[in-house]
């Protein structure tokens, strides 16, 4: 009998409780799949993380799990962690399945869009951020791509997702984080300065998001990350051209200014922001009454097309510099969306490599000569006039014609 008790018990193999389905998104070391719980039949999103690809970065996953465990099911606007388990080859984070799509896609599908709608979206985001900050968590990667809707219904909850860059902070400290991280256009000055940062970086990002929601482009948008960083460090932005901001209230602009304050200690807190007149208004007196959808959609689509062209021109110039143009073959792609990297989103908590903007693709452009094409800056953070957009489109068409003429 004693001999039997000394024998080690064999570990029981637990059957997988989920069946995975279609792929919703992919990152450099993970894939997000729709999954169904076999016993209950409920659908979720499973972030499947490859252990081999994550070797040496396991702490990122452990941190993400720790953050989600701390805040899951505590706030209606935060994506819930349902389950976590691992197999021999993979780690699995199972979360709510957000079927309502990304923030800006939802806006573009609307028939109308007013300043009060933008304020509602910012209010929901701020409520969740205040909850995170109250629990000692800084998100560090707030951007429209990380804001998802729970369902396709008009009254669906907006959810903050992707906690891969979040950190649990020591409440006794303010400057606790020094690692440069996030998506450049939404990063606060103190992140670039590496002087230490904390919760105020999330408020800065909300200021950028609010600006974007009201006009369709970001305040520090530039042709290169370096120029973008230089603009952020000195808060070089304005509410121009006037034609795009005429319908936006002074209260909304004041909200943005108080978020985009260079000194972190002078920036609003999440609770301050929730009390701001633009967010807390019980009526629309403090908000504009003009339909912003035509302007927002036009600017968003124009800038997405321009950015894709700039990226293509840059790639072709690099090929020429390296003598690689002769290796190019085939026809000009007519679908700029094809070949674009999948967005690690659609209902999962995401991963830190989700910096690729949606809609980026191969546009096929160059100048047809030996000199790199010079293209206008991306509006210097002041938007683009119709004349600027038409001129850039003309130059891109000429570039395409010159590049591909020799291939016929």
């Amino acid at each position: 009998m004693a001999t039997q008790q000394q024998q080690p018990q064999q570990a029981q193999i637990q059957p997988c409780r989920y069946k995975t389905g279609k792929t919703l998104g992919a990152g450099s070391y993970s894939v997000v799949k729709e999954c169904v719980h076999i016993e209950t039949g409920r659908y979720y999103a499973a972030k499947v993380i490859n252990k081999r690809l994550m070797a040496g970065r396991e702490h990122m996953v452990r941190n993400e799990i720790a953050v989600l465990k701390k805040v899951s099911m505590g706030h209606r606007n935060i994506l819930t962690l349902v389950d976590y388990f691992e197999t021999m080859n993979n780690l699995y984070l199972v979360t709510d399945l957000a079927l309502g799509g990304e923030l800006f896609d939802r806006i573009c599908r609307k028939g109308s869009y007013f300043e009060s709608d933008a304020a509602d979206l910012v209010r929901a985001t701020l409520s969740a951020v205040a909850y995170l900050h109250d629990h000692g968590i800084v998100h560090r990667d707030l951007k429209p791509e990380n804001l998802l809707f729970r369902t396709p219904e008009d009254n669906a909850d907006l959810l903050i997702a992707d906690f891969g860059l979040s950190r649990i902070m020591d409440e006794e400290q303010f400057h606790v984080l020094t690692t440069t991280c996030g998506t450049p256009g939404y990063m606060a000055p103190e992140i670039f300065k590496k002087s230490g940062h904390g919760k105020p970086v999330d408020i800065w990002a909300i200021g950028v998001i609010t600006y974007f929601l009201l006009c369709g482009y970001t305040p520090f948008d530039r042709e290169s990350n370096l120029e973008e960083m230089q603009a952020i460090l000195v808060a070089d932005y304005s509410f121009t051209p006037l034609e795009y901001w005429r319908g936006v209230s002074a209260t909304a602009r004041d909200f943005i200014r108080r978020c985009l304050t260079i000194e972190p200690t002078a920036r609003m807190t999440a609770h301050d922001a929730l009390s701001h007149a633009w967010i807390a208004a019980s009526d629309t007196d403090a908000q504009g009454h003009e339909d912003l959808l035509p302007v927002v959609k036009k600017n968003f689509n124009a800038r997405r097309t321009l950015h894709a062209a700039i990226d293509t021109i840059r790639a072709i110039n690099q090929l020429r510099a390296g003598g690689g143009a002769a290796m190019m073959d085939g026809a000009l792609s007519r679908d700029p969306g094809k070949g674009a990297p999948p967005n690690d989103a659609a209902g999962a908590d995401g991963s830190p490599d989700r910096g690729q903007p949606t809609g980026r693709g191969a546009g096929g452009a160059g100048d047809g000569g030996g000199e790199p094409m010079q293209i206008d800056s991306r509006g210097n953070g002041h938007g683009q006039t119709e004349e600027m957009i038409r001129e850039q489109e003309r130059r891109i068409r000429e570039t395409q014609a010159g590049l591909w003429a020799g291939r016929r």
Side-chain angles (χ1 to χ4, degrees), residues 186-215:
Y186 297 84
M187 288 164 57
E190 60 266 31
I191 296 179
F192 290 111
K193 293 176 183 177
K194 295 188 177 182
S195 56
H197 62 271
K199 298 171 186 176
V201 303
D202 288 342
I203 304 304
W204 178 280
I206 285 176
V208 177
I209 291 170
T210 304
Y211 187 105
F212 176 74
L213 288 175
L214 293 173
C215 68

Side-chain angles (χ1 to χ4, degrees), residues 305-366:
T305 301
L306 177 61
H307 290 200
I310 290 173
D311 291 335
T312 304
I313 291 166
R314 185 179 295 119
I316 291 172
N317 287 337
Q318 291 173 348
L319 279 171
R320 283 182 173 148
M327 300 171 61
M328 297 176 65
D329 195 9
L332 176 64
S333 170
R334 296 186 179 274
D335 184 355
K338 290 181 180 179
N343 190 19
D344 190 2
D349 43 287
S351 62
D353 61 318
R354 287 179 55 193
Q356 292 288 355
T358 55
R360 183 178 289 179

Side-chain angles (χ1 to χ4, degrees), residues 132-406:
L132 291 174
H133 290 184
D134 288 345
H135 286 76
I137 293 169
V138 55
H139 188 281
R140 299 206 296 176
D141 197 22
L142 291 174
K143 55 185 176 180
E145 295 89 338
N146 288 343
L147 300 175
L148 314 172
F149 285 93
R150 191 183 299 277
T151 67
E153 281 72 34
D154 290 340
N155 62 346
D157 290 335
L158 183 66
L159 303 173
I160 292 183
D162 195 341
F163 286 83
L165 294 181
S166 302
R167 287 294 182 270
I168 299 175
M169 300 167 54
D170 184 342
E171 288 297 324
E172 299 302 316
Q173 299 181 47
F174 174 72
H175 293 124
V176 292
L177 304 168
T178 56
T179 305
T180 302
C181 65
T183 303
Y186 297 84
M187 288 164 57
E190 60 266 31
I191 296 179
F192 290 111
K193 293 176 183 177
K194 295 188 177 182
S195 56
H197 62 271
K199 298 171 186 176
V201 303
D202 288 342
I203 304 304
W204 178 280
I206 285 176
V208 177
I209 291 170
T210 304
Y211 187 105
F212 176 74
L213 288 175
L214 293 173
C215 68
Y217 51 91
T218 54
F220 307 106
D221 198 6
R222 299 294 191 274
E223 187 173 348
S224 70
N225 284 346
L226 177 60
E227 292 173 328
E228 194 169 51
M229 180 190 70
Q230 291 170 336
I232 289 171
L233 287 172
V234 295
D236 178 18
Y237 73 96
S238 66
F239 301 108
T240 54
L242 182 60
E243 61 186 287
Y244 299 153
W245 287 92
R246 188 176 290 110
V248 177
S249 70
T251 314
R253 302 183 200 195
D254 180 72
F255 177 85
I256 293 170
R257 289 191 192 98
R258 295 189 62 189
C259 289
L260 300 182
T261 300
I262 296 175
E263 177 55 48
T265 56
R267 209 172 294 157
M268 288 190 295
T269 66
H271 289 287
D272 290 339
L274 284 169
S275 300
H276 189 277
W278 189 65
I279 296 295
S282 57
D283 53 40
T284 58
D285 289 344
Q287 299 165 348
H289 302 276
E290 185 174 321
D291 185 0
L292 302 177
L293 188 60
V295 165
V296 168
K297 284 181 68 173
K298 180 183 72 172
N299 283 325
F300 177 71
N301 290 328
R303 301 185 81 73
R304 180 169 61 181
T305 301
L306 177 61
H307 290 200
I310 290 173
D311 291 335
T312 304
I313 291 166
R314 185 179 295 119
I316 291 172
N317 287 337
Q318 291 173 348
L319 279 171
R320 283 182 173 148
M327 300 171 61
M328 297 176 65
D329 195 9
L332 176 64
S333 170
R334 296 186 179 274
D335 184 355
K338 290 181 180 179
N343 190 19
D344 190 2
D349 43 287
S351 62
D353 61 318
R354 287 179 55 193
Q356 292 288 355
T358 55
R360 183 178 289 179
D367 64 349
E371 295 295 323
M373 175 179 177
Q374 299 299 315
I375 195 163
D376 291 338
S377 172
R378 301 181 184 186
N380 292 321
H382 307 314
Q384 289 180 290
T385 63
E386 294 283 356
E387 183 179 354
M388 291 169 63
I389 293 172
R390 285 195 296 270
E391 173 63 14
Q392 286 166 340
E393 288 176 344
R394 181 188 66 77
R395 294 171 67 181
I396 290 169
R397 285 194 298 271
E398 289 180 356
T399 292
Q400 292 172 342
L403 175 67
W404 297 104

Side-chain angles (χ1 to χ4, degrees), residues 28-217:
S28 58
Y29 60 81
S30 66
V31 62
V32 180
K33 290 181 174 289
E34 185 178 88
C35 69
V36 59
H37 191 273
I38 296 171
E39 289 186 6
T40 65
R42 289 195 61 180
Y43 281 83
Y44 300 98
K47 181 178 179 182
V48 186
I49 303 166
N50 186 299
K51 287 183 178 179
R52 181 178 57 82
L53 296 179
M54 273 295 294
R57 293 181 290 179
E58 296 87 348
H59 66 283
M60 296 169 63
V61 179
R62 287 195 296 269
N63 176 78
E64 190 170 0
I65 294 166
V67 170
L68 284 169
K69 279 184 175 180
K70 187 168 183 178
V71 299
S72 273
M73 296 183 288
H75 197 282
R76 63 185 295 179
N77 300 114
I78 294 176
L79 199 69
T80 300
L81 178 67
V82 176
D83 199 358
Y84 165 74
F85 60 95
E86 60 181 281
T87 63
M88 183 177 295
N89 299 314
N90 298 312
L91 303 171
Y92 291 81
L93 274 67
V94 182
T95 69
D96 284 338
L97 181 61
L99 297 173
E102 290 185 9
L103 175 62
F104 209 74
D105 291 336
R106 180 74 160 259
I107 291 172
C108 288
R109 291 197 301 266
K110 290 170 66 71
S112 60
Y113 172 67
F114 297 91
E115 195 175 305
S116 58
D117 296 318
D120 289 341
L121 295 170
V122 176
R123 185 184 304 110
T125 307
L126 271 172
S127 177
V129 169
Y131 176 83
L132 291 174
H133 290 184
D134 288 345
H135 286 76
I137 293 169
V138 55
H139 188 281
R140 299 206 296 176
D141 197 22
L142 291 174
K143 55 185 176 180
E145 295 89 338
N146 288 343
L147 300 175
L148 314 172
F149 285 93
R150 191 183 299 277
T151 67
E153 281 72 34
D154 290 340
N155 62 346
D157 290 335
L158 183 66
L159 303 173
I160 292 183
D162 195 341
F163 286 83
L165 294 181
S166 302
R167 287 294 182 270
I168 299 175
M169 300 167 54
D170 184 342
E171 288 297 324
E172 299 302 316
Q173 299 181 47
F174 174 72
H175 293 124
V176 292
L177 304 168
T178 56
T179 305
T180 302
C181 65
T183 303
Y186 297 84
M187 288 164 57
E190 60 266 31
I191 296 179
F192 290 111
K193 293 176 183 177
K194 295 188 177 182
S195 56
H197 62 271
K199 298 171 186 176
V201 303
D202 288 342
I203 304 304
W204 178 280
I206 285 176
V208 177
I209 291 170
T210 304
Y211 187 105
F212 176 74
L213 288 175
L214 293 173
C215 68
Y217 51 91

